[in-house]
Amino acid sequence: MTSADERTGPRAAAETGIDPRTAEPIGEPVPLSAPGEAEAAAQAAARAAPALDRAGRAFRAGLLRAAGEALEARRAEIVRTADGETALGADRLGGELTRTVHQARHFAEVLEEGSYLEAAIDRAGGTPLGPGPDLRRMLVPIGPVAVFGAANFPLAFSVPGGDTVSALAAGCPVVVKAHESHPGTSRLAFEALAGAAERAGAPEGVLGLVHGREAGAALVADPRIRAVGFTGSAAGGRALMDIAAARPDPVPFYGELSGINPVVVTEGAARARAAGIAAGVLASVTGSGGQLCTKPGLVFVPSGPAGDALVEAVREGFAGAGEAVLLNAGVRASYLAAAERLAGLPGVRVLAAGRDGRGAEGFRAGPRLLSVPAGRFGAEAAEECFGPLTVLVRYAGAEELAAALDRVPGSLAAALHCDGETEAEAAAELAGMLRERAGRVVFGGFPTGVRVSWAQTHGGPWPSASAPYSSVGASAIRRFLRPVTWQDAPQWALPAELRDGPAGVPRRVDGRLEPA
């Protein structure tokens, strides 16, 4: 398992962590990958791919559990370094590390259970069209995968994150492009994973790490890379997606890109639970500085006294909220520019605004609460603003709400607050509208917080994701697999899971689902 920063050679520059609280450099500089290092990492991954596949599901499950143990063993050092580079706080980052370890263990369980293979057998026999051949099908690894770390999740969506562990579970070696905001954290996490892989006896090249945007672009273009996992901005993702599509052999690009994540509050819910909903909106919008891909950027609130009371409760919460420390200078600049643009749209009012942090130490900015009538709400007000800002959209009646929702782009998640006893029919219609715009529909809660589990979906219609797959939960493994059918194959040519006799995985045999 080789890292670009372990090699020698000329360096054009280096990545240095910046403490967002002070805007001062932190930690040792990490050299950018020299030309050719991305290619070398991809070559090593390609050499490792057949051996990782042959090692089997049990080996990969053990490798993932060992990776989780290695991260736990360096918990204090990793959390301390990540906090210095992101200012997300030790509590939040400790929870994120716990989630990251859980992801690794979860995919070990996915491997052992085996249904992800979609194994199916159709024995030779008669069909309506005459004699049919013996067909046996299952999913196999797609090949080496490039993974891009995310700024706002230095662990769960970065070097040791869900893309990495789901690709390894699928049997695909991984080369990670570290995010420039947390090079030190990326290096620590890679050392932990690489050490675990080496001790487990994984093939050389099963994990690689590169630094720098040029190296990342080179990875996507490299012919040995067979798929790309990305979490980040729509602009950055689109640029890499274009590289993947322009290759002589285009490869799948799985981008988790952006989301406005609308929250809809009905009249009944506003009347019954204004204080609780207001507190939830504040926490969901300002938690982690509003730097979550599932942060609600739009909250639809009814006109009238009940809605007015809810809006006032939300306004009071925002007015009393403190400044956020944002991840880096670029995030802060983009946030302030987006907040100013949104506030200047026709019909938009600023209900609450904290200080913008100008002149203060570090990358600080205050929360913003805006409001616009649904009749004046347009697509330009439904663009993601990464940071602690949301827009309240005041609607009068079901028709105006439906028309406004039609102008909301695809999102990772959406939420509905309603009175299930008195508004069930109308709420069911609203839930159907939200389903068309999101990969996850939350009832009585908020989009932030994504459980790692079998039933999770973290994806949605464009621009929230580039393809209809989840980047969280058991089904995330499906991105890095492809189907193969063996026709009239002898037993020795078949994978163990498709041979006659007990297979240890669920299979569909002659159309009937059989348990393991």
Side-chain angles (χ1 to χ4, degrees), residues 165-192:
V165 296
S166 59
L168 289 174
C172 302
V174 175
V175 184
V176 183
K177 186 270 180 188
H179 197 280
E180 56 264 31
S181 286
H182 35 78
T185 307
S186 297
R187 184 166 56 179
L188 280 176
F190 177 79
E191 289 173 357

Side-chain angles (χ1 to χ4, degrees), residues 109 142 162 270:
E109 295 169 358
I142 198 169

